[in-house]
Amino acid sequence: MSGIDTSPQTVIGLAGHVDHGKTTLVKALTGMMTARPHEQALGMTQDLGFAHFEDEQGRTIGIIDVPGHERYVRNMVAGVWHINILLLVISATEGCMPMTFAHMRLARAMGVKDIVVCINKSDLVSEQVLADVEESALESIMDVTGIVPEVVCVSALTGHNIETLRQTLLDMVARVEPSDVMPGDATTPLLYVDRVFVANGVGTIVTGTLAQGTVSVGDKLFSPNGGTTGAVRSIQCYHQQVHDVTATCRVALNIKGLSRKQVQRGDLLCAPSAPVTMTDSCIVRLDDRYSDASLTRSTEVEVAVGTWHGLAQCIPLPNTRLARLLFRQPRPMFFGQRLAIIQSSGHGLLAQADVVWTSFIAKARKRAIYQALSDLPQGLTANAQLDMLLQLQGYYSVALLCGEPATQGVVEGQYVFDPQWLAEAQARIIQQLSEGRAMGPGELSSSLQMESDIVQVLTQQLKQQDRIFYSYAKWQLGSGQSEDELPEVAQTILRLAREAGAAGLELNKVSLGQDKKWLRQLAHQKYITAIDEQIYFDMGVYQALVHQAIGENQPHDRVTLQEIKQRVDLSRKYLIPFVNRMEKDGWLRRDDEVRIILKSASE
């Protein structure tokens, strides 16, 4: 395989108004024609075009050519969401046009910080006109972005100053610091798919820009949209086969286990452990630089994120910079994810936003959560999210650590807990159980208004401390044998015995095979009892039948077999073995045709 440099790479995106010469400029820089034949005939780029060139050290710099016409602004967003540098192309014959500013705002909304301005077609105007266009462009861009970009005047058609532009781009490439798309572990791979196809004899191929992390042959990639994981069989980067590749760069991945029907343009591919949630709603924080007056009420908007775009209902939250987005179908979302909110029937940018919450919010917790989200720092980092969750709810999933150690809190199971919250939550469980009745996990979860997974972690801790135990699918105070520690096969037998009830578990009616050995173990631990070699009762059922058989009788009272039969309503096939079992357990003693009570039901 090729030895392409897999150190952090760079992708440059060309944007600007239609017919300002972007595609011609790409060819002048790289020698590659990105426009497809039908686009060349039309004289207009409609979808993303891809090219690349190398620097003096042989490192590859990718280029994405995006459509300039407002009809294709969604495709433009798909091209710039992951680029490192924006090359904003302005025609010297027209100057800045509406889509010039629209593209610039969209690129900034997607997190692009570095801009180079290229004034093209310099050969078609006088030096004075060129100077005026340059000054006007600088002033306008500074007003919008607050930065002073590099400006290079060229003629893509004649080649004038192309080498100067190339060197300017390379100088900026050397200074660019890669920014993580997902706050946290920068090694977590993230790729939004822009094309999917099937190659004969190869299988499913997906292409896109690896925006973060590293991918190697053999790695597992997960598609949250399809709920499927596949293995990377081969990687192609800029037309060369490689073993691994590092962001930011264009890649084509052959993925085993992912069919053409399971992935499409706009889908996200990421590490299986990435903290990504499939949700049909999320809370976003609007950037006040782009907030629009039309977002003061519930509005249908178009949301662009990665290479996907679709309609959503945008509901601003009063007195905050927060808004709720309601999607028509679940989408993969994660904390810190950048997205653009666009007019649903136009191309104007309404707002840039960052995802700050992807989970369900109970009505009683809305105020506290909204306040915590409003207090998040301007720069969204993984630690900012973790600190907020500890303060807000007392815990978070270890998956959010992305393999890094927790800086605060204590790790228990799959969660990190605030120590004080953990102690208080355990005390609440003990209080619930001390009120006189056992409670199942679901009951505890509902009563305490806690997630079931959290209740599971807390109860397991308390069980290890011998403060509670699990019996008959309920948690009880005290120490004792806990059924949840039994092997799965033993729990299955126990479940069958309980489902059988007073009918008993008859071995000739179920197929246990070699699992029969667990019957003796369960009987030894007093989970079940054998009334003969073929019939077993759950211990709770057996004890209930014993109490019915004894009834109000006291020690030394005499009771007939017929009286016991009437009390327990067992057939003669079960009655005799049941009474014999009671005699073995010291409840009865036989005296000819009657039985003498040895213990009362209350003992």
Side-chain angles (χ1 to χ4, degrees):
M1 289 187 178
S2 171
I4 267 186
D5 182 12
T6 55
S7 59
Q9 301 186 59
T10 306
V11 172
I12 299 169
L14 270 76
H17 196 74
V18 64
D19 202 30
H20 278 203
K22 296 185 297 298
T23 303
T24 306
L25 184 61
V26 171
K27 187 174 182 180
L29 280 168
T30 68
M32 300 179 184
M33 172 54 69
T34 58
R36 299 154 186 84
H38 72 276
E39 292 175 324
Q40 294 179 47
L42 186 64
M44 179 191 301
T45 299
Q46 296 174 305
D47 205 347
L48 306 178
F50 307 102
H52 59 273
F53 66 95
E54 293 184 352
D55 64 11
E56 295 175 353
Q57 287 74 43
R59 290 174 298 194
T60 305
I61 290 91
I63 288 186
I64 298 179
D65 181 16
V66 306
H69 198 283
E70 65 183 42
R71 284 182 292 175
Y72 307 112
V73 70
R74 280 79 182 164
N75 289 345
M76 178 270 171
V77 174
V80 302
W81 81 273
H82 47 253
I83 65 175
N84 306 106
I85 298 169
L86 175 68
L87 180 55
L88 190 65
V89 182
I90 301 170
S91 171
T93 60
E94 293 186 326
C96 291
M97 299 292 283
M99 290 308 296
T100 306
F101 297 112
H103 282 195
M104 183 169 51
R105 289 189 176 95
L106 285 165
R108 297 284 286 177
M110 291 292 96
V112 181
K113 299 176 182 177
D114 297 290
I115 299 176
V116 172
V117 175
C118 174
I119 299 179
N120 191 21
K121 303 185 181 183
S122 62
D123 58 314
L124 301 181
V125 299
S126 66
E127 290 186 8
Q128 183 58 51
V129 170
L130 189 61
D132 292 342
V133 171
E134 180 178 348
E135 183 178 349
S136 175
L138 267 175
E139 185 176 346
S140 299
I141 292 168
M142 288 173 59
D143 287 343
V144 174
T145 66
I147 65 174
V148 181
E150 296 279 354
V151 180
V152 182
C153 300
V154 307
S155 171
L157 194 61
T158 67
H160 173 69
N161 241 13
I162 290 298
E163 287 306 315
T164 300
L165 175 61
R166 187 199 308 271
Q167 190 57 53
T168 300
L169 291 171
L170 291 177
D171 290 344
M172 182 164 285
V173 165
R175 299 195 302 268
V176 167
E177 295 183 2
S179 58
D180 296 338
V181 179
M182 175 186 288
D185 185 3
T187 63
T188 300
L190 286 174
L191 179 146
Y192 274 98
V193 176
D194 55 43
R195 188 180 175 212
V196 186
F197 59 94
V198 176
N200 290 334
V202 177
T204 304
I205 305 291
V206 300
T207 69
T209 299
L210 182 65
Q212 178 179 296
T214 299
V215 175
S216 303
V217 172
D219 284 355
K220 302 286 187 181
L221 287 180
F222 177 61
S223 169
N225 301 83
T228 307
T229 300
V232 178
R233 180 181 286 166
S234 64
I235 303 172
Q236 190 175 99
C237 177
Y238 301 119
H239 309 301
Q240 297 188 49
Q241 291 292 123
V242 297
H243 183 271
D244 47 47
V245 67
T246 300
T248 305
C249 63
R250 293 288 305 166
V251 294
L253 305 176
N254 174 212
I255 303 180
K256 181 181 179 181
L258 203 60
S259 73
R260 175 66 183 84
K261 295 181 179 179
Q262 293 172 319
V263 62
Q264 59 186 329
R265 178 168 177 157
D267 286 358
L268 173 68
L269 295 180
C270 58
S273 60
V276 176
T277 302
M278 284 297 292
T279 179
D280 57 7
S281 70
C282 66
I283 302 294
V284 298
R285 185 177 66 183
L286 306 174
D287 191 318
D288 55 9
R289 292 178 299 171
Y290 299 105
S291 294
D292 189 274
S294 62
L295 289 180
T296 57
R297 55 186 174 79
S298 180
T299 309
E300 185 177 67
V301 298
E302 191 156 1
V303 174
V305 53
T307 56
W308 176 85
H309 60 86
L311 295 176
Q313 196 71 20
C314 181
I315 306 171
L317 304 181
N319 304 316
T320 71
R321 286 169 50 203
L322 306 174
R324 179 183 295 277
L325 293 178
L326 304 177
F327 301 103
R328 295 185 175 182
Q329 297 291 335
R331 300 302 309 167
M333 293 288 161
F334 52 83
F335 179 82
Q337 188 174 28
R338 290 188 297 270
L339 52 83
I341 300 176
I342 306 169
Q343 294 170 348
S344 62
S345 57
H347 64 269
L349 177 68
L350 298 179
Q352 180 268 331
D354 299 304
V355 176
V356 291
W357 193 267
T358 60
S359 305
F360 170 76
I361 300 178
K363 186 175 181 180
R365 300 187 64 210
K366 283 185 177 180
R367 178 174 296 182
I369 290 176
Y370 293 164
Q371 184 60 55
L373 297 179
S374 296
D375 292 340
L376 282 168
Q378 182 62 34
L380 296 180
T381 64
N383 285 338
Q385 180 191 22
L386 304 183
D387 292 345
M388 174 191 69
L389 291 175
L390 277 186
Q391 179 183 359
L392 188 63
Q393 61 187 25
Y395 60 88
Y396 60 82
S397 170
V398 295
L400 296 176
L401 292 170
C402 298
E404 297 295 320
T407 56
Q408 295 188 50
V410 294
V411 178
E412 296 291 347
Q414 294 302 307
Y415 293 89
V416 178
F417 292 93
D418 174 77
Q420 182 177 347
W421 185 92
L422 183 63
E424 292 173 353
Q426 289 178 331
R428 290 174 63 195
I429 290 177
I430 295 297
Q431 178 62 35
Q432 288 285 324
L433 298 180
S434 67
E435 294 178 357
R437 67 185 183 92
M439 298 180 73
E443 292 177 279
L444 277 174
S445 179
S446 177
S447 177
L448 298 171
Q449 294 186 333
M450 287 185 194
E451 297 177 31
S452 57
D453 288 350
I454 299 300
V455 171
Q456 171 71 6
V457 173
L458 299 179
T459 50
Q460 289 298 318
Q461 277 191 310
L462 291 170
K463 181 185 73 175
Q464 293 171 9
Q465 298 167 14
D466 285 332
R467 299 174 68 185
I468 63 175
F469 67 99
Y470 192 67
S471 181
Y472 286 90
K474 292 182 182 292
W475 289 104
Q476 305 178 47
L477 282 182
S479 60
Q481 293 179 333
S482 285
E483 295 172 3
D484 61 331
E485 294 181 351
L486 292 171
E488 185 176 348
V489 58
Q491 292 191 43
T492 299
I493 293 174
L494 190 56
R495 176 178 55 80
L496 291 172
R498 287 174 177 170
E499 290 175 351
L505 178 63
E506 292 191 52
L507 300 189
N508 60 357
K509 293 184 179 180
V510 295
S511 177
L512 296 179
Q514 296 183 351
D515 296 340
K516 286 183 180 180
K517 63 183 180 181
W518 282 101
L519 290 166
R520 179 176 296 181
Q521 181 66 25
L522 288 170
H524 175 73
Q525 293 180 266
K526 299 189 183 305
Y527 285 113
I528 61 176
T529 188
I531 62 173
D532 73 4
E533 293 182 353
Q534 293 296 314
I535 303 173
Y536 285 80
F537 278 137
D538 169 74
M539 186 59 75
V541 173
Y542 169 70
Q543 290 175 344
L545 289 171
V546 166
H547 288 187
Q548 292 176 34
I550 300 296
E552 299 296 326
N553 290 117
Q554 298 298 316
H556 309 302
D557 287 350
R558 303 168 74 85
V559 60
T560 67
L561 202 60
Q562 185 62 29
E563 288 175 318
I564 294 176
K565 183 179 186 304
Q566 291 175 350
R567 292 175 182 176
V568 297
D569 193 26
L570 292 175
S571 66
R572 192 165 186 84
K573 173 184 175 181
Y574 281 53
L575 180 65
I576 299 302
F578 169 68
V579 171
N580 291 342
R581 178 80 256 178
M582 289 183 65
E583 292 175 8
K584 289 181 182 179
D585 291 342
W587 291 98
L588 305 172
R589 178 169 60 83
R590 185 171 180 173
D591 185 12
D592 292 331
E593 297 301 317
V594 299
R595 269 70 176 174
I596 299 174
I597 304 295
L598 299 181
K599 294 186 293 185
S600 68
S602 60
E603 293 185 45

